[in-house]
Amino acid sequence: NAGVTQTPKFQVLKTGQSMTLQCAQDMNHEYMSWYRQDPGMGLRLIHYSVGAGITDQGEVPNGYNVSRSTTEDFPLRLLSAAPSQTSVYFCASTRRDQETQYFGPGTRLLVL
Amino acid sequence: GDSVTQMEGPVTLSEEAFLTINCTYTATGYPSLFWYVQYPGEGLQLLLKATKADDKGSNKGFEATYRKETTSFHLEKGSVQVSDSAVYFCAFAKFYNQGGKLIFGQGTELSVKP
């Protein structure tokens, strides 16, 4: 199993550009989540999904969109990037009957 | 509101020293508690967990006990190694069947010198 994979590893954007961060898992996990990690603030939940076709907002959803068309994939879209979105983004997944989250390696995003 | 407070870092120790990283939480109900570790350049991985009061989680020589009366989940290790250098996150899951949402502390960076 590859576990949770994320692409790209690193990206530089200009303010106003759009992009999609990809996340995929091969463990058949029902639940998937996106977090952002900022210095001194730990990880904060952006959006999560409890299954294909079902998504919900987390703590810091503004500026981000998600969709979940398959169990495996959970992309995160930035429609118009802002410098405040400079961060490291982690995707995670878990089974419905578990609490342990499995994290991807992260995407480091720099918005100029 | 729900929150996790961790001891501020960075923490610098010599090899074989005793480690304590304090963690307290604020939450209603009886959350499950976790310690995650992030090695340089990697994602987070679960270190240990405890799901009810007085439970002790342990792994790789690390231990933490779920103390409901003090709302704490302090991480300890008797003898740290250079390979333990990482960032440690305390977290809790309040509603495990709502996507496994986790509330994280700010993280504590540990540096172990030979």
Side-chain angles (χ1 to χ4, degrees):
Chain A
N1 284 353
V4 180
T5 58
Q6 292 183 238
T7 56
K9 284 185 170 29
F10 179 70
Q11 183 73 46
V12 179
L13 289 180
K14 294 182 180 177
T15 297
Q17 287 185 317
S18 64
M19 80 161 294
T20 299
L21 281 63
Q22 301 291 345
C23 173
Q25 52 91 10
D26 62 358
M27 297 173 283
N28 205 31
H29 286 170
E30 295 91 348
Y31 294 168
M32 296 186 75
S33 307
W34 276 102
Y35 294 84
R36 60 178 287 174
Q37 182 182 21
D38 301 294
M41 300 187 73
L43 278 75
R44 293 180 292 168
L45 183 65
I46 304 172
H47 285 286
Y48 69 97
S49 168
V50 298
I54 306 170
T55 64
D56 205 346
Q57 296 181 348
E59 183 185 357
V60 288
N62 291 343
Y64 307 96
N65 279 353
V66 292
S67 60
R68 183 119 178 253
S69 56
T70 67
T71 299
E72 294 78 21
D73 300 298
F74 191 42
L76 179 72
R77 296 182 189 84
L78 284 70
L79 297 179
S80 179
S84 60
Q85 294 179 304
T86 293
S87 187
V88 181
Y89 292 85
F90 289 101
C91 180
S93 72
T94 187
R95 270 173 37 184
R96 182 190 300 126
D97 57 348
Q98 284 185 345
E99 293 177 302
T100 301
Q101 297 260 10
Y102 294 84
F103 284 82
T107 293
R108 186 175 296 274
L109 178 67
L110 175 62
V111 183
L112 301 175
Chain B
D2 298 332
S3 65
V4 176
T5 302
Q6 280 183 239
M7 173 175 156
E8 284 205 21
V11 174
T12 302
L13 295 174
S14 298
E15 207 164 22
E16 300 184 1
F18 184 85
L19 169 71
T20 299
I21 300 178
N22 291 338
C23 170
T24 58
Y25 67 90
T26 301
T28 56
Y30 305 97
S32 295
L33 302 177
F34 304 83
W35 277 100
Y36 279 83
V37 59
Q38 183 180 30
Y39 297 104
E42 298 183 10
L44 279 72
Q45 53 187 275
L46 179 69
L47 180 59
L48 54 83
K49 70 177 184 182
T51 57
K52 61 183 188 295
D54 300 324
D55 265 3
K56 177 185 283 189
S58 61
N59 186 27
K60 300 181 181 181
F62 290 90
E63 292 183 340
T65 301
Y66 189 160
R67 302 286 187 202
K68 183 173 177 299
E69 63 278 10
T70 55
T71 62
S72 65
F73 193 53
H74 304 322
L75 182 69
E76 296 183 336
K77 186 175 186 183
S79 176
V80 293
Q81 305 301 312
V82 172
S83 57
D84 294 327
S85 297
V87 181
Y88 293 82
F89 292 93
C90 184
F92 73 79
K94 192 172 176 185
F95 300 111
Y96 77 95
N97 60 345
Q98 290 189 8
K101 290 186 287 185
L102 290 170
I103 308 295
F104 283 90
Q106 75 271 31
T108 301
E109 182 180 358
L110 170 66
S111 176
V112 181
K113 305 298 184 187

mmCIF file of all heavy atoms in Angstrom, chain B residues 76-95:
data_model
loop_
_atom_site.group_PDB
_atom_site.id
_atom_site.type_symbol
_atom_site.label_atom_id
_atom_site.label_comp_id
_atom_site.label_asym_id
_atom_site.label_seq_id
_atom_site.Cartn_x
_atom_site.Cartn_y
_atom_site.Cartn_z
ATOM 1 N N GLU B 76 6.000 11.296 28.202
ATOM 2 C CA GLU B 76 7.245 11.053 28.919
ATOM 3 C C GLU B 76 8.061 9.972 28.227
ATOM 4 O O GLU B 76 7.510 9.068 27.605
ATOM 5 C CB GLU B 76 6.952 10.615 30.361
ATOM 6 C CG GLU B 76 6.273 11.663 31.207
ATOM 7 C CD GLU B 76 6.068 11.219 32.631
ATOM 8 O OE1 GLU B 76 6.014 9.993 32.874
ATOM 9 O OE2 GLU B 76 5.958 12.085 33.510
ATOM 10 N N LYS B 77 9.386 10.094 28.385
ATOM 11 C CA LYS B 77 10.281 9.024 27.960
ATOM 12 C C LYS B 77 11.485 9.049 28.891
ATOM 13 O O LYS B 77 12.040 10.115 29.167
ATOM 14 C CB LYS B 77 10.740 9.194 26.510
ATOM 15 C CG LYS B 77 11.549 7.999 26.018
ATOM 16 C CD LYS B 77 11.905 8.079 24.555
ATOM 17 C CE LYS B 77 12.589 6.775 24.113
ATOM 18 N NZ LYS B 77 13.029 6.810 22.700
ATOM 19 N N GLY B 78 11.872 7.879 29.328
ATOM 20 C CA GLY B 78 12.913 7.796 30.348
ATOM 21 C C GLY B 78 14.308 8.131 29.846
ATOM 22 O O GLY B 78 15.138 8.649 30.597
ATOM 23 N N SER B 79 14.587 7.852 28.577
ATOM 24 C CA SER B 79 15.934 8.038 28.063
ATOM 25 C C SER B 79 15.829 8.338 26.569
ATOM 26 O O SER B 79 15.594 7.437 25.759
ATOM 27 C CB SER B 79 16.763 6.770 28.295
ATOM 28 O OG SER B 79 18.048 6.901 27.727
ATOM 29 N N VAL B 80 15.990 9.614 26.218
ATOM 30 C CA VAL B 80 15.795 9.987 24.814
ATOM 31 C C VAL B 80 17.048 9.702 23.986
ATOM 32 O O VAL B 80 18.174 9.661 24.507
ATOM 33 C CB VAL B 80 15.408 11.477 24.675
ATOM 34 C CG1 VAL B 80 14.032 11.716 25.282
ATOM 35 C CG2 VAL B 80 16.460 12.386 25.292
ATOM 36 N N GLN B 81 16.815 9.513 22.695
ATOM 37 C CA GLN B 81 17.900 9.268 21.746
ATOM 38 C C GLN B 81 17.908 10.367 20.695
ATOM 39 O O GLN B 81 16.900 11.069 20.503
ATOM 40 C CB GLN B 81 17.691 7.913 21.055
ATOM 41 C CG GLN B 81 17.553 6.749 22.018
ATOM 42 C CD GLN B 81 18.771 6.591 22.900
ATOM 43 O OE1 GLN B 81 19.917 6.610 22.408
ATOM 44 N NE2 GLN B 81 18.566 6.436 24.198
ATOM 45 N N VAL B 82 19.023 10.498 19.999
ATOM 46 C CA VAL B 82 19.112 11.510 18.944
ATOM 47 C C VAL B 82 18.002 11.316 17.919
ATOM 48 O O VAL B 82 17.435 12.279 17.391
ATOM 49 C CB VAL B 82 20.497 11.459 18.272
ATOM 50 C CG1 VAL B 82 20.539 12.366 17.046
ATOM 51 C CG2 VAL B 82 21.590 11.862 19.259
ATOM 52 N N SER B 83 17.653 10.061 17.659
ATOM 53 C CA SER B 83 16.617 9.748 16.674
ATOM 54 C C SER B 83 15.218 10.182 17.111
ATOM 55 O O SER B 83 14.279 10.140 16.307
ATOM 56 C CB SER B 83 16.601 8.246 16.379
ATOM 57 O OG SER B 83 16.402 7.515 17.576
ATOM 58 N N ASP B 84 15.059 10.612 18.360
ATOM 59 C CA ASP B 84 13.763 11.116 18.836
ATOM 60 C C ASP B 84 13.554 12.589 18.485
ATOM 61 O O ASP B 84 12.485 13.149 18.741
ATOM 62 C CB ASP B 84 13.646 10.951 20.351
ATOM 63 C CG ASP B 84 13.597 9.497 20.779
ATOM 64 O OD1 ASP B 84 13.037 8.675 20.023
ATOM 65 O OD2 ASP B 84 14.125 9.177 21.867
ATOM 66 N N SER B 85 14.548 13.220 17.918
ATOM 67 C CA SER B 85 14.427 14.623 17.526
ATOM 68 C C SER B 85 13.303 14.760 16.501
ATOM 69 O O SER B 85 13.345 14.136 15.435
ATOM 70 C CB SER B 85 15.743 15.141 16.939
ATOM 71 O OG SER B 85 16.770 15.097 17.898
ATOM 72 N N ALA B 86 12.320 15.573 16.824
ATOM 73 C CA ALA B 86 11.120 15.687 15.990
ATOM 74 C C ALA B 86 10.221 16.745 16.618
ATOM 75 O O ALA B 86 10.544 17.327 17.651
ATOM 76 C CB ALA B 86 10.381 14.350 15.916
ATOM 77 N N VAL B 87 9.074 16.968 15.986
ATOM 78 C CA VAL B 87 8.041 17.820 16.568
ATOM 79 C C VAL B 87 6.915 16.916 17.062
ATOM 80 O O VAL B 87 6.458 16.035 16.326
ATOM 81 C CB VAL B 87 7.495 18.846 15.555
ATOM 82 C CG1 VAL B 87 6.436 19.727 16.220
ATOM 83 C CG2 VAL B 87 8.621 19.701 15.002
ATOM 84 N N TYR B 88 6.473 17.134 18.275
ATOM 85 C CA TYR B 88 5.455 16.300 18.909
ATOM 86 C C TYR B 88 4.171 17.109 19.091
ATOM 87 O O TYR B 88 4.194 18.230 19.593
ATOM 88 C CB TYR B 88 5.962 15.782 20.258
ATOM 89 C CG TYR B 88 7.114 14.811 20.093
ATOM 90 C CD1 TYR B 88 8.413 15.276 19.900
ATOM 91 C CD2 TYR B 88 6.896 13.439 20.081
ATOM 92 C CE1 TYR B 88 9.458 14.398 19.704
ATOM 93 C CE2 TYR B 88 7.949 12.550 19.890
ATOM 94 C CZ TYR B 88 9.231 13.043 19.703
ATOM 95 O OH TYR B 88 10.262 12.167 19.493
ATOM 96 N N PHE B 89 3.067 16.506 18.659
ATOM 97 C CA PHE B 89 1.767 17.160 18.724
ATOM 98 C C PHE B 89 0.830 16.365 19.623
ATOM 99 O O PHE B 89 0.642 15.163 19.424
ATOM 100 C CB PHE B 89 1.124 17.249 17.336
ATOM 101 C CG PHE B 89 1.824 18.173 16.384
ATOM 102 C CD1 PHE B 89 2.795 17.680 15.528
ATOM 103 C CD2 PHE B 89 1.505 19.518 16.332
ATOM 104 C CE1 PHE B 89 3.438 18.522 14.633
ATOM 105 C CE2 PHE B 89 2.143 20.367 15.444
ATOM 106 C CZ PHE B 89 3.112 19.873 14.592
ATOM 107 N N CYS B 90 0.230 17.070 20.554
ATOM 108 C CA CYS B 90 -0.849 16.504 21.351
ATOM 109 C C CYS B 90 -2.164 16.838 20.650
ATOM 110 O O CYS B 90 -2.297 17.926 20.061
ATOM 111 C CB CYS B 90 -0.799 17.115 22.751
ATOM 112 S SG CYS B 90 -1.979 16.459 23.924
ATOM 113 N N ALA B 91 -3.126 15.924 20.678
ATOM 114 C CA ALA B 91 -4.384 16.164 19.973
ATOM 115 C C ALA B 91 -5.498 15.373 20.633
ATOM 116 O O ALA B 91 -5.257 14.397 21.352
ATOM 117 C CB ALA B 91 -4.259 15.753 18.501
ATOM 118 N N PHE B 92 -6.744 15.792 20.394
ATOM 119 C CA PHE B 92 -7.874 14.964 20.803
ATOM 120 C C PHE B 92 -8.917 14.891 19.704
ATOM 121 O O PHE B 92 -9.031 15.776 18.861
ATOM 122 C CB PHE B 92 -8.475 15.425 22.128
ATOM 123 C CG PHE B 92 -9.273 16.709 22.092
ATOM 124 C CD1 PHE B 92 -10.579 16.735 21.630
ATOM 125 C CD2 PHE B 92 -8.717 17.879 22.570
ATOM 126 C CE1 PHE B 92 -11.314 17.909 21.635
ATOM 127 C CE2 PHE B 92 -9.448 19.061 22.582
ATOM 128 C CZ PHE B 92 -10.747 19.076 22.106
ATOM 129 N N ALA B 93 -9.652 13.795 19.710
ATOM 130 C CA ALA B 93 -10.764 13.569 18.790
ATOM 131 C C ALA B 93 -12.024 13.535 19.632
ATOM 132 O O ALA B 93 -12.170 12.688 20.507
ATOM 133 C CB ALA B 93 -10.591 12.263 18.032
ATOM 134 N N LYS B 94 -12.908 14.465 19.362
ATOM 135 C CA LYS B 94 -14.077 14.569 20.217
ATOM 136 C C LYS B 94 -15.215 13.678 19.725
ATOM 137 O O LYS B 94 -15.899 13.046 20.503
ATOM 138 C CB LYS B 94 -14.543 16.023 20.251
ATOM 139 C CG LYS B 94 -15.571 16.295 21.313
ATOM 140 C CD LYS B 94 -15.842 17.766 21.412
ATOM 141 C CE LYS B 94 -16.941 18.022 22.420
ATOM 142 N NZ LYS B 94 -17.318 19.437 22.463
ATOM 143 N N PHE B 95 -15.393 13.647 18.403
ATOM 144 C CA PHE B 95 -16.473 12.848 17.840
ATOM 145 C C PHE B 95 -15.877 11.954 16.778
ATOM 146 O O PHE B 95 -15.748 12.339 15.635
ATOM 147 C CB PHE B 95 -17.550 13.742 17.226
ATOM 148 C CG PHE B 95 -18.175 14.670 18.223
ATOM 149 C CD1 PHE B 95 -17.944 16.021 18.157
ATOM 150 C CD2 PHE B 95 -18.985 14.184 19.218
ATOM 151 C CE1 PHE B 95 -18.516 16.885 19.067
ATOM 152 C CE2 PHE B 95 -19.561 15.038 20.140
ATOM 153 C CZ PHE B 95 -19.332 16.389 20.054
#
